[in-house]
Amino acid sequence: MKFKVSARLGYQAKSAGTIILNIHALKTEKQTVLEETFTISPQADAEELITPGTDNRFMRVDIKEPGDYTVTYEAIVDNHFELGKYNKYKDISISQLDPAVLTYLSPSRYCQSDRLYRLAENEFGTLANNYNKAVAITKWIHNHVEYLSGSSTSETSAYDTVAQQAGVCRDFAHLGIALCRSLSIPARYFTGYSYMLIPQDFHACFEAYIAGEWLLFDATRLSPLNGFVKIATGRDAADASIASMFGDINNTDIEISCQLAEDIDFEPRYHYPSVYDGVAYR
Amino acid sequence: MKFKVSARLGYQAKSAGTIILNIHALKTEKQTVLEETFTISPQADAEELITPGTDNRFMRVDIKEPGDYTVTYEAIVDNHFELGKYNKYKDISISQLDPAVLTYLSPSRYCQSDRLYRLAENEFGTLANNYNKAVAITKWIHNHVEYLSGSSTSETSAYDTVAQQAGVCRDFAHLGIALCRSLSIPARYFTGYSYMLIPQDFHACFEAYIAGEWLLFDATRLSPLNGFVKIATGRDAADASIASMFGDINNTDIEISCQLAEDIDFEPRYHYPSVYDGVAYR
Amino acid sequence: MKFKVSARLGYQAKSAGTIILNIHALKTEKQTVLEETFTISPQADAEELITPGTDNRFMRVDIKEPGDYTVTYEAIVDNHFELGKYNKYKDISISQLDPAVLTYLSPSRYCQSDRLYRLAENEFGTLANNYNKAVAITKWIHNHVEYLSGSSTSETSAYDTVAQQAGVCRDFAHLGIALCRSLSIPARYFTGYSYMLIPQDFHACFEAYIAGEWLLFDATRLSPLNGFVKIATGRDAADASIASMFGDINNTDIEISCQLAEDIDFEPRYHYPSVYDGVAYR
Amino acid sequence: MKFKVSARLGYQAKSAGTIILNIHALKTEKQTVLEETFTISPQADAEELITPGTDNRFMRVDIKEPGDYTVTYEAIVDNHFELGKYNKYKDISISQLDPAVLTYLSPSRYCQSDRLYRLAENEFGTLANNYNKAVAITKWIHNHVEYLSGSSTSETSAYDTVAQQAGVCRDFAHLGIALCRSLSIPARYFTGYSYMLIPQDFHACFEAYIAGEWLLFDATRLSPLNGFVKIATGRDAADASIASMFGDINNTDIEISCQLAEDIDFEPRYHYPSVYDGVAYR
């Protein structure tokens, strides 16, 4: 499916500094970037970073002069997600797990799975398999946590969200990741452009590694699972934040868009009420 | 310098499960493993994992039967650390940093640098350069935090240690890492065998990335900086823990040793009172 | 009902100091202390404190010399609890509440009701009245939190217990108090001697102020509600701890007993499975 | 000294509910309320609450109808603070302390003294006496914590402020209280109207109980210590908050004023740079 995505980010630099952006569409086996443009005005040096152990496409922008900068990214992306089938999801034991995913079992800054294992065990431990557990976790979060802008900060973690029961997409994702890891299900943070998300913005969800696939879950239920253009994955928002600023630089505005780029009939797919097929972006 | 290291770990498995160990001496440009043996008794399958983005040597042990298991590792290791020179430590700007180290600027499970930047700025922000800052952080931790067995748990993080001012080597390392990252100095967790550590045990310190080198710092001051055999590095203990158990498996005992394996005159080097040369293990 | 209670507490004083004990049976309208003895050996000065705003019977023990001390308290107590009736529990609006109980609506050290109101509202907000809410909270805690010695510390608070789902009686009580206050139900900490508690020890529960009565709830379900001799109430364990030590003084052992002191047929009463009568100790 | 104080508070009530206000000038041995008026418009029932164990003057306002309400309080107050003398501050041992102040040694919601005793001991433990310790704590907070509106929330506690090093007057006070209690110095929260505070607002400080006096300390250094009209004291902001709302009621605006009400020459007194006399409001 072809999508046209764009991001327009404004920054006020009161000093020289560096911005590391992670807004480019990922290039994967199943996601092809047909066209893309990236501009900074006024002009500033930018380089794409190749970082070991991740495919995320970080752009490092070198701000030499204070001033107001605007970053614009536009791309046409063709991607194909996989539709899993419930009946083929067989659990993989830790002893058989791909070593590359083991890191996604560890607690991370915003996902303190080491502190939530009893809750996870009590709520989900008896379910039949990891897929059922991930689906139940996603429903539980949706039912227990209120989506409320401004109810959380950049310091809010899964441990807080369990008690405070409010947050934004980032918090919903962190809690899903933490609960999966507490049950020894590898889980990671997913960011992307999202078709039909209202209002248009970057969106965060989580992926759980089930039966050898990274399956996508969105506890906010705000986006159709088949309408994403994948930007990045990581252990949590600390790995895959949209932008990191060094120096006295602030984000002043943001304008995101994700539209269909071909004339097809888009049928949004959600994990509920009773669709049990998983969705995977490879 | 040649060291003979050994680790003897006992586990009680009440169920089948998996143990992922990280006790093997690292193989690096400057650290050569001359001999090593790894045994499990009673016998159990073990494989060395190759994990992307890290050189850590994880062994995955597959416990098929409940019972008491003993893991033994022995090695002769030849390593050469670099002695830095203070006067050559020039700061590298974020815009010039090796992309591979950027991940060590992010907050992690036990190192919430995002919550400590004011403290770091207030205490260390005005110092001349990153090396001075890392040295001052190490001294500050040594002076403010009491080394006290049992004063912390596996959940204790740098944020807690700042307030509670007690911990073990792991906590000292986490706080050092967090404070460096708060000042935009890449920092990571370091585990190793330590000559002259009393009592003998695994030891944890931290490395700060300064002038293109990973320099070693030990706020506990319990080990000479030139007496380490490096096991692993990671963002914090979540990446580089000695052992992770899956299933109903507990560690029952532990016996560590690190001795000189050649007849030389070892002169222990510490970061204090006034030695300002950095030590780097490549 | 007559009970014979006793407490034997050992302390090791490495320095001079003060111990403030709160182990005496409360004297109330409905609880009469028929006999009591309090001894310290070796002898040390002790005075009973009269503290404004509370009836708790604090004993302040002045330790002038280092050494090993044993405190012994024994009493025969006659108390009468009230058996409430569900159908008479009408909610009282905040505007009509006795001013003396308003303080039990505020968050306290171990009961951060200000951080749990969404959880409380989501889980219990729609129930018919405060009595139903307090009963449901008590059941919820019993079902979600595991009673596990050593799983919590003196720093553990309700906010932690919500996420960690394990604790001891103190933690169960703190969580009950916090959730009630989150729903604007005054709630306080209750300590007492408990008949039929196994093993014998001090016990902590919580009281909720409902329809003008302080009703007793025990989410641990370890003690019959009609087998208590009341020691103290307070906002949380910070107000009503069994002992506070000042100076280098540690508790070394503890021996508690609560027995029937008359020949009657004791029929233990619990809040479950379906007994909806409240129990109140005045 | 005579002050004219006024408070104008606006509330939007979207439902019926109750507001408990604590804005009246305290009536004490040394503070006389010469005149005062309290009005609510549109009219609503209000009663002054007599609460055991505290002299705070709570007004309970019963909001029967949704709507916008304005509360106005005006008073002329004559108060006399005591000027202590350093050389008479002799420490009182716990065994001799007035039982009424013991409660101010306990940790409370926002003042987790139980988690900060090592920090307190390390930074201040060796100072000569409690007065020196309280003065040093006040300076330490002033030097380590940045006064920054919006940097903290109603959930922020002393434990957070130690690490985050930013806050408002309430946070400065909570940290001072926690550190005093960690050193076994009774300490409590103080709110008042403050002459010469810019901008005019309610102000919070802390009182430490030293040599039998409640001495006032203000780590923000924003107000002269001799320009206060005392409103309330409590264990922390949970006891002495300006307003508590029950129901769907929000504070919409606030306008405070504190002016001299007689023609005298006011000489502001601060605790620094080197004035070591304590100030006490009885």
Side-chain angles (χ1 to χ4, degrees), chain C residues 17-18 20 47 49-53 60-62 93-100 102-103 105-115 117 154-155 159-160 184 235-236 238-239 246, chain D residues 17-18 20 47 49-53 60-62 93-100 102-103 105-115 117 154-155 159-160 184 235-236 238-239 246:
Chain C
T18 299
I20 297 176
E47 62 170 329
L49 304 178
I50 306 307
T51 51
R60 176 161 59 185
V61 180
D62 186 11
S93 75
I94 301 291
S95 64
Q96 300 307 312
L97 265 185
D98 176 352
L102 291 171
T103 185
L105 288 172
S106 302
S108 58
R109 168 65 182 91
Y110 299 106
C111 307
Q112 303 98 325
S113 44
D114 55 306
R115 305 185 76 181
Y117 64 94
S154 64
E155 294 184 2
Y159 191 74
D160 299 310
S184 298
R235 288 202 283 191
D236 61 24
D239 275 3
F246 301 89
Chain D
T18 300
I20 297 176
E47 63 171 328
L49 304 178
I50 306 308
T51 52
R60 178 161 57 185
V61 179
D62 186 12
S93 75
I94 301 289
S95 64
Q96 300 307 314
L97 264 185
D98 176 351
L102 291 171
T103 186
L105 288 171
S106 302
S108 58
R109 167 65 182 92
Y110 299 106
C111 307
Q112 302 98 326
S113 44
D114 55 306
R115 305 185 76 181
Y117 64 94
S154 64
E155 294 184 2
Y159 190 74
D160 299 311
S184 298
R235 289 202 283 191
D236 61 24
D239 275 4
F246 300 89

Side-chain angles (χ1 to χ4, degrees), chain B residues 34-224:
Chain B
L34 302 174
E35 307 169 18
E36 69 180 358
T37 61
F38 177 77
T39 61
I40 307 162
S41 99
Q43 197 280 332
D45 295 347
E47 63 171 328
E48 182 163 354
L49 305 178
I50 306 307
T51 52
T54 164
D55 304 323
N56 296 349
R57 299 176 61 199
F58 296 99
M59 296 295 293
R60 177 162 57 185
V61 180
D62 185 11
I63 301 293
K64 293 199 173 60
E65 299 293 334
D68 293 334
Y69 292 82
T70 301
V71 171
T72 307
Y73 174 72
E74 293 186 343
I76 309 272
V77 178
D78 190 5
N79 71 358
H80 305 269
F81 62 85
E82 301 292 300
L83 255 196
K85 279 277 158 282
Y86 170 69
N87 55 23
K88 78 171 165 57
Y89 296 138
K90 301 257 167 303
D91 290 351
I92 301 173
S93 74
I94 301 290
S95 64
Q96 300 307 312
L97 264 185
D98 176 351
V101 310
L102 291 172
T103 185
Y104 299 106
L105 288 171
S106 303
S108 58
R109 167 64 182 92
Y110 299 107
C111 307
Q112 303 98 325
S113 44
D114 55 307
R115 305 185 76 180
L116 298 173
Y117 64 93
R118 271 197 205 83
L119 184 154
E121 208 47 65
N122 293 345
E123 296 286 342
F124 314 107
T126 59
L127 294 173
N129 61 37
N130 288 345
Y131 183 69
N132 290 350
K133 289 173 184 176
V135 169
I137 285 168
T138 306
K139 286 184 172 179
W140 187 90
I141 294 169
H142 184 76
N143 294 335
H144 285 73
V145 182
E146 179 182 1
Y147 190 98
L148 191 57
S149 299
S151 61
S152 61
T153 72
S154 64
E155 294 183 1
T156 303
S157 68
Y159 190 74
D160 299 311
T161 304
V162 160
Q164 296 179 3
Q165 302 204 338
V168 296
C169 60
R170 155 193 172 108
D171 305 301
F172 281 66
H174 284 152
L175 183 50
I177 293 164
L179 291 172
C180 284
R181 292 178 187 168
S182 295
L183 297 168
S184 298
I185 303 170
R188 66 187 187 186
Y189 193 73
F190 172 106
T191 60
Y193 294 90
S194 167
Y195 180 50
M196 289 178 56
L197 176 64
I198 299 170
Q200 282 282 286
D201 199 348
F202 293 111
H203 195 50
C205 310
F206 73 95
E207 290 183 323
Y209 190 75
I210 289 165
E213 288 265 32
W214 281 110
L215 299 183
L216 188 67
F217 297 89
D218 179 6
T220 70
R221 297 188 181 172
L222 294 175
S223 299

Side-chain angles (χ1 to χ4, degrees), chain C residues 144-266:
Chain C
H144 285 74
V145 182
E146 179 182 0
Y147 191 98
L148 191 58
S149 299
S151 62
S152 61
T153 72
S154 64
E155 294 184 2
T156 303
S157 68
Y159 191 74
D160 299 310
T161 304
V162 160
Q164 296 179 5
Q165 302 203 339
V168 296
C169 60
R170 156 192 171 108
D171 305 301
F172 282 65
H174 285 152
L175 184 49
I177 293 164
L179 291 172
C180 284
R181 292 178 187 167
S182 294
L183 297 168
S184 298
I185 303 170
R188 66 187 186 186
Y189 193 73
F190 172 106
T191 60
Y193 294 91
S194 167
Y195 180 50
M196 289 177 58
L197 175 64
I198 299 170
Q200 282 282 285
D201 199 349
F202 293 111
H203 195 50
C205 310
F206 73 95
E207 291 183 321
Y209 190 75
I210 289 164
E213 287 264 33
W214 282 110
L215 298 183
L216 188 66
F217 298 90
D218 179 6
T220 70
R221 296 187 183 174
L222 294 175
S223 297
L225 292 173
N226 55 335
F228 283 104
V229 170
K230 191 172 192 170
I231 293 173
T233 59
R235 288 202 283 191
D236 61 24
D239 275 3
S241 63
I242 293 303
S244 307
M245 280 85 82
F246 301 89
D248 188 354
I249 302 177
N250 299 300
N251 174 245
T252 50
D253 69 302
I254 178 165
E255 206 179 303
I256 307 303
S257 159
C258 178
Q259 300 304 328
L260 270 178
E262 61 187 318
D263 180 8
I264 58 162
D265 183 8
F266 181 84

